[in-house]
Amino acid sequence: MSFGYLYLPTIIAILYSILWSWIDLDTKRLEPFFQLSRPGGANAADSILLHYPFDFVAYAPIRALRRRHWAVVFAGTCMMLIFWGVTPLVSSVFARSNANLETSTKARTTAALMPFEDRRLAMNAGFMMTAYGIAWLGQAMPAFVTSQGFLEPFELDMQEEDLVNKTWKARTKLYGTSLKCEAANIQNQSSGLSYSNGKTCKTEPRSWHPIFLQGIIYSSVYIPYSLDGYFGLSLEDMGCPSPTNSHLFLGIWEASGSDSLEPNTTAIFCEPSYWTQDVNATVMIPSMNVSEMFALGPRLPLMDNIFNRTAFEHKIGGGESYVSQRADISETTGTIDQSLNLGKLGLFAGSMNGMVGFALGLGSRDLSGYTDPRILTASFEKAHKLLHALAMRQLMNSNLIDVDSRQGTVSGKVNAILVVRPLAIAVETLLAVVVILILALMFYSRTRISQLHRDPASLTDLIVMLSKQRNTDRLMFKTGQDMDSSQYALVKGIIHVRRSESDSDSPNANHLPGQTNIDEAPGISGSNKPLVRPLEMGMTVGIIFIVILLVALGTVLALKIYANQNNGLPLPSNKTLLNQLVLNYVLIPFEELRRANAKSSRSLNLKYTSLPPQLVLWRAFRAGHYLLGAVCAIGLSANLLAVSLSGLLEANASPLEKSCNFTCRYAPIFSRIPQTLGPEDTTYASDYQYIAKANISNGVSLPPWTSPETFFVPIDLNNSLGSDPVNQYRVTTQGFGVQPVCEPSKFNDTAFITGPSSLFNFTQRTSSGRDVTCVSETLPPAGGQSKSVVALEVFTQLQPIDDDDALNTAANDNDTARMERQLACNSILVAGFLRANLTVPYDAVKMESLDPHYDEYAVIRQVKLLSSVWMVCRLHILTAPYNLTVDQSGHVISFVATGPYAKNLSSFFPNGSQPISLTNASSFMFTGGADTDPYWHNDTFVDTWFAYFVKHLSNSTTFVDPAQPVPAFSDVVPHVENICIRLFAIMVDLNQHWLAEAMANSTVPGVIIIPSQRVYVSNSMFIITITLLTLNIGIAILYWTRRPRKMFPAMPYTIASILDMVHASGLAAEVGALQSWRKEWRFGYGKFVGTDGRPHVGIERRPFVVPIEA
């Protein structure tokens, strides 16, 4: 398609111009004969001395206009318009772009609400996990979800595969929600603050005074109407147990005072309403993201039998699902802990921070404005709308399709060739003028009188015209003596000179006695005039022409080299001028005659001047005039050169790079790693898993400066923005990763899985050489249903054993020894995949002390182990310098190591810090966080994040399916190692405070990548252009070194000058008598004695002619 719109119009225009140049050439060539055919004849200047074919293309119409030679005016003007107007513009008339295409077709709904009894089961944490990715990780909106609600899914019948930016538009239903909020009345009482909506809800005084830690100056809490009592606050428990308040919630925002004792408190009571509305919605294909929608009707209340608002509000408030349903951990997890993100903003929200996190993640991040109730309301409403939309999406079942009939529209953009109207109008106007001129030329030519009996395309044709002239000497005498006053005419194919008053003064003019000055007549060749050649054949012109070609060749080469070295170049303004050297092809017959041994087919009968130079190619090679053929080929290739030059430079979007220094934010030194991490130190552990889940399952980008394998020390990019629109940055920084080394192992499987008293026993040696027994502190696997063949996935970090002997030994240890024992055990990760038969609850023991809420939480006593695979993994730190490309936010686009991994890590872990401290800190992140205790399961749903990642990284349920054999070590170990690598990079990114601060004013060199339009040299057009220019130079050198010699007293551009070359020879009489040349005759151009007995320079038959020597 690129060829069609880039080159084809130019090629067509060039071909048309070649064909028209044929018409133009014939019009100019025949104009003298039409002038001679007029009833009154014509003077010499208007006939036999005309040389339109050899005039510059722009001058010919002007000169013709002065002489009122209308055919030449029409043809010459057409030629100029086509050559200089249509041909250059036509290639720009067409542009490649996207055209809008819209088609109506049938639309149908593709999903409907699942049965009511199934909706309570489906109201799990999956929609909240999606909301977390949208709020904090930049995850895109799911299909048919918008910030205003959820659209009932639909699709259209017509599938336009060739469309880009395709959209579907159809009528559908929008499910949405709105909040009606009002500021709460706050009363400060001795026992705490109470909040009232001024109606039916007034809370009992409760103390809600957060501890404003260092860097934390704001706090917030979301209090739903009801909540599982042991989790947190609820309005129901705070004195508002009224049916009219069953959907009310209280949002509180506090900012610390100057003394941190009197916080500035803002509180709002909000009540949601749920509704549905008919809309005309447009969604983008294939993502199904909503681009726009228009209301088609009023909002109608959403009935409770359609949407269980109570279950929804209970879930987003932090409560557990009312009814348990088997699903992966991403959907069954409890609250979505967002403490890490809120803490980075300077906000404390307690353990029940879900709605507060969503409100700030989706709303304003400027915390100072939340003391305004309107801003607080707007953020909670954004969160409420998105969560409701995601919940409605989760309640849809695509197997239930509501068959209806309605119209929809498929819209999009199709790659098309568009017409640039301003240029098209210009071309159309030029073509319209050309058509008018063509019609005028056709009409004028048909009305003209012609006395031509044959096409005067060759020298023979002109000699034939002369042969029928009985007074040849008189004709040439009048041509030489009195051209201005003589009238010439063409009658029955014979050129005549009409009598004038001067004829009586020269009664013997036919014999020209004593005439010696005829050689000086304009256009007449004499025997004693200096010989000349065309100006264009002069060596000076040749040198200039060759130098121009060399400069053009060098320029193209320089452009190519410069563009390659500088990633393109600015768009230049190019104009290509083509030299009309081939117009001198008329000299080739004379060059053959100069050798005085030419056949008529190679000289007198040649018809080169009747064709444009591009079309003479075949005739020239056929006649053996190879130099002429080469020059004609170059003339033809000039058209191809025009096409190649038009496509030589192409503009493309290309980055422009500028060097810059970036300020270092951190040094690649881990100087602030906590020596040990326990549950009290890792309140943010769930974020690692949320981020990894969003990346692995939903394709969400990892945090800035993090790749799936490596964490890169961040660089401050803000100081390098400047005024240019920066697209990317390239900088060198240190990267850190881990290399897990996992080995197969065996453990007392039954002992591990049947009770907490018998865990792993693994002996590890400390750095000082002492042995320490390491065990797992993870609770034994549990379950609450009768199961047959079951599966279990284990991933745990080991700890030093806490039996009496170990405790006594530890009591005598100093802090260093205890730290050695801790580090030695924490460095070990154990993973296992098991298959077993078990029966519960007959021997199940309820774990009241562990979890009083879950009745089904029990220790399994009866187990028949079928098979298992175990592995022990240790993490080894890897670090190397990397050349890194990131976007404006620091998200990694590409990276490559610029050096080997460091063998000595002491410079990265100074002051007694050890690399094992970093791996130990990360190891707990793999096994800590919410809902990580393993469960037996007889299905393919997984209850731990470890099993979830194995399942999704392998894109298979084989490893967790109890119906499948236990996986082989070699099959599963790559996925275990992949999990360790990914979570380590995320863990270090979320704990950048472990790195040392960079020294003041420390910088690193880098590159700013700015988007720009650059011009490149097309490789294919470059090759064609260089080849053609090289051929032009070669042929030009050959042409000028073998150019015809000086042989003309005057250039044979006119009828008069050509007739003068033959009138005194015997050729006219011979051709008149024989009507053709004999094949054995040879002809030459040179000196001969004419029929008048005088010496002449012209054309004569051998042996009567002597060649001219240069």
Side-chain angles (χ1 to χ4, degrees):
M1 187 174 70
S2 297
F3 174 84
Y5 84 92
L6 284 177
Y7 308 121
L8 186 58
T10 302
I11 292 174
I12 293 175
I14 288 175
L15 292 176
Y16 181 67
S17 67
I18 291 175
L19 294 176
W20 184 256
S21 66
W22 194 347
I23 299 173
D24 177 66
L25 179 61
D26 271 357
T27 302
K28 295 174 180 178
R29 182 173 60 86
L30 297 177
E31 181 62 24
F33 300 98
F34 278 110
Q35 293 295 326
L36 291 171
S37 299
R38 293 168 59 185
N43 59 32
D46 285 340
S47 56
I48 63 174
L49 295 182
L50 289 176
H51 46 80
Y52 287 137
F54 303 96
D55 286 341
F56 182 55
V57 65
Y59 295 161
I62 298 175
R63 291 176 176 174
L65 182 62
R66 292 173 180 172
R67 295 188 173 99
R68 298 186 179 183
H69 295 171
W70 302 116
V72 177
V73 172
F74 298 151
T77 305
C78 284
M79 187 63 189
M80 284 196 302
L81 294 178
I82 293 171
F83 192 73
W84 288 338
V86 175
T87 302
L89 290 178
V90 73
S91 62
S92 302
V93 167
F94 302 101
R96 183 177 179 177
S97 183
N98 292 327
N100 294 323
L101 182 65
E102 186 171 295
T103 307
S104 295
T105 185
K106 290 184 178 180
R108 62 176 179 269
T109 301
T110 57
L113 285 169
M114 60 182 60
F116 184 78
E117 58 272 14
D118 297 335
R119 296 175 201 169
R120 287 170 63 90
L121 297 175
M123 192 72 73
N124 57 38
F127 74 92
M128 299 180 66
M129 190 68 69
T130 304
Y132 177 89
I134 295 173
W136 296 105
L137 304 179
Q139 181 176 338
M141 289 282 190
F144 296 103
V145 174
T146 174
S147 59
Q148 299 301 313
F150 173 72
L151 293 174
E152 191 174 62
F154 63 89
E155 68 177 15
L156 273 62
D157 286 341
M158 182 176 292
Q159 303 293 328
E160 295 286 351
E161 299 297 337
D162 295 334
L163 293 181
V164 295
N165 297 330
K166 184 165 61 176
T167 62
W168 288 347
K169 181 187 293 184
R171 175 177 55 82
T172 187
K173 288 183 179 180
L174 173 66
Y175 295 93
T177 181
S178 301
L179 292 184
K180 182 180 180 181
C181 301
E182 55 187 353
N185 297 321
I186 304 174
Q187 294 182 354
N188 192 350
Q189 301 182 17
S190 58
S191 56
L193 299 178
S194 67
Y195 304 89
S196 171
N197 66 352
K199 298 175 183 177
T200 59
C201 180
K202 182 177 180 180
T203 66
E204 299 171 354
R206 293 290 181 94
S207 176
W208 171 248
H209 289 294
I211 301 174
F212 291 102
L213 304 174
Q214 182 179 2
I216 304 297
I217 59 175
Y218 299 99
S219 67
S220 183
V221 64
Y222 173 90
I223 304 176
Y225 175 75
S226 64
L227 195 64
D228 302 311
Y230 72 99
F231 270 122
L233 301 174
S234 69
L235 292 178
E236 187 178 27
D237 296 334
M238 295 174 63
C240 294
S242 170
T244 59
N245 301 321
S246 59
H247 299 288
L248 205 64
F249 73 82
L250 173 63
I252 304 174
W253 182 273
E254 293 187 353
S256 64
S258 58
D259 56 1
S260 296
L261 296 177
E262 295 294 335
N264 182 9
T265 303
T266 301
I268 55 174
F269 279 99
C270 296
E271 183 174 10
S273 61
Y274 304 88
W275 44 264
T276 182
Q277 184 180 32
D278 287 338
V279 296
N280 195 347
T282 302
V283 297
M284 295 179 289
I285 306 301
S287 66
M288 301 298 181
N289 293 140
V290 182
S291 61
E292 63 179 358
M293 56 185 177
F294 303 96
L296 298 177
R299 292 179 177 179
L300 302 176
L302 191 62
M303 298 293 101
D304 288 343
N305 62 348
I306 297 178
F307 182 72
N308 192 333
R309 60 192 297 186
T310 302
F312 170 72
E313 292 165 8
H314 178 80
K315 187 62 182 174
I316 65 174
E320 293 294 327
S321 301
Y322 284 129
V323 180
S324 298
Q325 182 187 29
R326 285 294 294 157
D328 284 342
I329 186 174
S330 61
E331 298 179 359
T332 60
T333 187
T335 61
I336 307 298
D337 182 22
Q338 303 180 58
S339 300
L340 175 63
N341 296 312
L342 297 176
K344 289 182 177 179
L345 295 176
L347 177 73
F348 173 79
S351 59
M352 303 305 297
N353 53 54
M355 275 300 291
V356 175
F358 292 131
L360 267 69
L362 296 167
S364 173
R365 303 285 176 91
D366 181 9
L367 304 190
S368 62
Y370 279 94
T371 54
D372 186 341
R374 295 171 298 180
I375 297 179
L376 188 61
T377 298
S379 293
F380 274 121
E381 186 169 40
K382 285 182 180 180
H384 209 269
K385 284 179 177 291
L386 178 63
L387 289 167
H388 171 256
L390 295 172
M392 285 298 304
R393 172 177 174 268
Q394 198 161 288
L395 300 180
M396 289 287 171
N397 188 336
S398 59
N399 295 324
L400 303 173
I401 300 177
D402 181 15
V403 179
D404 55 5
S405 59
R406 63 185 190 273
Q407 286 297 110
T409 303
V410 178
S411 302
K413 295 182 180 297
V414 61
N415 288 328
I417 306 302
L418 301 182
V419 176
V420 182
R421 287 308 305 161
L423 293 177
I425 292 173
V427 172
E428 291 166 1
T429 302
L430 291 174
L431 290 176
V433 175
V434 168
V435 169
I436 294 173
L437 293 173
I438 290 175
L439 294 175
L441 178 62
M442 291 175 59
F443 176 78
Y444 184 70
S445 298
R446 292 179 66 86
T447 60
R448 303 186 79 180
I449 299 174
S450 174
Q451 294 291 336
L452 281 171
H453 286 193
R454 62 191 298 170
D455 181 10
S458 67
L459 292 176
T460 297
D461 297 322
L462 293 176
I463 294 174
V464 169
M465 290 182 181
L466 187 63
S467 68
K468 298 179 180 181
Q469 168 61 256
R470 288 174 295 181
N471 298 313
T472 304
D473 291 338
R474 180 178 181 278
L475 169 65
M476 301 313 300
F477 170 75
K478 298 304 297 183
T479 302
Q481 285 289 87
D482 197 13
M483 289 183 296
D484 292 338
S485 61
S486 299
Q487 290 293 107
Y488 298 85
L490 183 66
V491 180
K492 296 182 180 182
I494 305 173
I495 302 176
H496 297 271
V497 58
R498 295 185 181 277
R499 290 182 176 275
S500 64
E501 295 178 356
S502 61
D503 289 347
S504 59
D505 299 332
S506 304
N508 298 321
N510 286 341
H511 301 285
L512 303 177
Q515 185 68 35
T516 59
N517 61 348
I518 190 172
D519 296 338
E520 282 73 32
I524 302 302
S525 299
S527 60
N528 58 353
K529 294 188 61 174
L531 302 180
V532 297
R533 65 162 64 93
L535 176 65
E536 294 85 351
M537 290 186 177
M539 187 58 68
T540 301
V541 174
I543 293 174
I544 294 174
F545 180 73
I546 294 173
V547 169
I548 292 174
L549 290 176
L550 290 172
V551 170
L553 180 66
T555 301
V556 174
L557 289 172
L559 286 175
K560 180 66 174 177
I561 296 172
Y562 184 85
N564 291 343
Q565 293 179 348
N566 296 275
N567 193 25
L569 64 156
L571 181 65
S573 177
N574 293 319
K575 294 183 180 180
T576 305
L577 299 178
L578 300 178
N579 194 295
Q580 294 184 320
L581 179 65
V582 292
L583 292 176
N584 292 290
Y585 292 162
V586 68
L587 302 182
I588 296 300
F590 296 100
E591 175 66 11
E592 288 292 327
L593 292 168
R594 183 192 62 80
R595 298 169 187 170
N597 192 31
K599 297 180 180 180
S600 61
S601 61
R602 292 171 54 89
S603 56
L604 299 182
N605 289 343
L606 288 176
K607 298 182 179 181
Y608 290 151
T609 59
S610 62
L611 290 174
Q614 298 91 338
L615 303 181
V616 176
L617 179 64
W618 173 247
R619 289 186 178 180
F621 280 116
R622 191 176 176 185
H625 297 156
Y626 301 112
L627 180 59
L628 172 60
V631 176
C632 290
I634 292 300
L636 185 61
S637 70
N639 300 298
L640 182 59
L641 181 62
V643 176
S644 67
L645 287 174
S646 68
L648 181 64
L649 301 177
E650 51 187 13
N652 290 316
S654 177
L656 182 64
E657 298 184 356
K658 293 184 178 181
S659 300
C660 180
N661 289 326
F662 299 95
T663 302
C664 296
R665 189 185 308 172
Y666 298 105
I669 299 173
F670 288 95
S671 60
R672 297 182 286 186
I673 306 174
Q675 294 298 317
T676 58
L677 286 177
E680 69 280 1
D681 301 318
T682 55
T683 56
Y684 308 145
S686 297
D687 287 277
Y688 309 98
Q689 294 132 3
Y690 299 161
I691 295 172
K693 183 266 176 189
N695 176 252
I696 294 172
S697 301
N698 305 107
V700 179
S701 299
L702 289 169
W705 305 100
T706 307
S707 75
E709 302 88 8
T710 310
F711 163 77
F712 304 96
V713 178
I715 303 295
D716 188 4
L717 304 175
N718 293 331
N719 68 323
S720 56
L721 291 177
S723 58
D724 294 323
V726 178
N727 187 22
Q728 297 174 0
Y729 300 86
R730 186 177 303 122
V731 66
T732 299
T733 186
Q734 196 73 18
F736 291 89
V738 291
Q739 176 60 58
V741 177
C742 298
E743 299 175 349
S745 185
K746 292 185 177 180
F747 292 98
N748 186 354
D749 304 316
T750 303
F752 166 73
I753 60 179
T754 56
S757 58
S758 300
L759 306 180
F760 292 122
N761 284 296
F762 193 88
T763 302
Q764 176 75 350
R765 178 156 294 186
T766 67
S767 58
S768 61
R770 298 173 60 181
D771 290 338
V772 57
T773 301
C774 304
V775 297
S776 171
E777 293 186 350
T778 303
L779 291 172
Q785 299 176 359
S786 296
K787 303 175 183 178
S788 55
V789 179
V790 292
L792 179 72
E793 299 80 37
V794 178
F795 194 56
T796 184
Q797 182 187 37
L798 301 186
Q799 301 287 337
I801 193 169
D802 288 336
D803 57 22
D804 293 339
D805 293 338
L807 291 175
N808 292 332
T809 301
N812 297 322
D813 285 343
N814 54 30
D815 292 340
T816 302
R818 285 194 294 272
M819 186 60 61
E820 287 181 354
R821 295 175 67 249
Q822 188 75 34
L823 291 175
C825 290
N826 289 167
S827 64
I828 302 173
L829 292 170
V830 177
F833 297 83
L834 294 79
R835 303 289 187 267
N837 280 331
L838 82 136
T839 304
V840 291
Y842 303 108
D843 292 324
V845 178
K846 185 177 180 181
M847 304 290 289
E848 295 282 358
S849 60
L850 294 176
D851 196 341
H853 182 64
Y854 288 107
D855 293 336
E856 74 274 11
Y857 201 116
V859 176
I860 309 304
R861 293 297 187 186
Q862 295 181 356
V863 175
K864 181 181 179 181
L865 187 67
L866 299 178
S867 59
S868 63
V869 58
W870 293 95
M871 64 190 71
V872 175
C873 300
R874 294 177 175 85
L875 306 182
H876 299 277
I877 300 294
L878 300 176
T879 182
Y882 286 85
N883 194 322
L884 189 67
T885 302
V886 298
D887 63 14
Q888 297 180 13
S889 302
H891 290 98
V892 177
I893 298 174
S894 63
F895 60 93
V896 59
T898 58
Y901 291 119
K903 296 181 179 180
N904 186 354
L905 301 179
S906 60
S907 59
F908 305 103
F909 298 89
N911 303 324
S913 177
Q914 301 181 39
I916 196 173
S917 301
L918 183 59
T919 57
N920 289 352
S922 62
S923 297
F924 187 83
M925 305 305 169
F926 302 154
T927 58
D931 304 309
T932 56
D933 294 329
Y935 286 77
W936 291 104
H937 57 90
N938 65 347
D939 50 30
T940 58
F941 295 113
V942 293
D943 303 288
T944 64
W945 284 111
F946 166 71
Y948 178 88
F949 294 141
V950 169
K951 177 180 175 180
H952 284 269
L953 286 173
S954 64
N955 196 27
S956 171
T957 59
T958 302
F959 297 144
V960 299
D961 188 351
Q964 299 292 328
V966 68
F969 171 80
S970 59
D971 293 336
V972 75
V973 70
H975 303 296
V976 175
E977 293 177 345
N978 193 358
I979 292 170
C980 296
I981 293 171
R982 285 174 176 269
L983 291 183
F984 174 84
I986 298 173
M987 181 274 301
V988 180
D989 175 80
L990 296 181
N991 292 278
Q992 295 180 16
H993 57 276
W994 291 352
L995 291 166
E997 296 288 341
M999 297 179 61
N1001 300 324
S1002 59
T1003 61
V1004 293
V1007 173
I1008 299 175
I1009 303 175
I1010 302 171
S1012 64
Q1013 283 288 115
R1014 303 289 289 174
V1015 176
Y1016 294 89
V1017 178
S1018 170
N1019 290 329
S1020 58
M1021 293 298 105
F1022 171 76
I1023 294 173
I1024 294 174
T1025 302
I1026 292 298
T1027 302
L1028 293 178
L1029 287 175
T1030 303
L1031 288 175
N1032 271 267
I1033 294 172
I1035 298 300
I1037 293 174
L1038 183 64
Y1039 181 82
W1040 262 280
T1041 55
R1042 301 187 61 184
R1043 68 192 187 280
R1045 300 176 180 180
K1046 294 180 179 180
M1047 54 184 171
F1048 300 114
M1051 295 305 301
Y1053 289 161
T1054 65
I1055 296 174
S1057 60
I1058 295 175
L1059 293 181
D1060 181 54
M1061 294 181 182
V1062 298
H1063 83 280
S1065 69
L1067 295 178
E1070 290 173 340
V1071 75
L1074 300 175
Q1075 297 299 316
S1076 64
W1077 309 117
R1078 294 179 181 177
K1079 292 184 179 180
E1080 66 273 13
W1081 284 2
R1082 296 293 184 268
F1083 303 89
Y1085 176 85
K1087 298 177 181 180
F1088 63 91
V1089 176
T1091 57
D1092 58 359
R1094 300 173 56 221
H1096 291 270
V1097 174
I1099 303 172
E1100 180 60 280
R1101 184 165 62 86
R1102 290 291 303 269
F1104 307 114
V1105 63
V1106 177
I1108 296 177
E1109 299 297 334

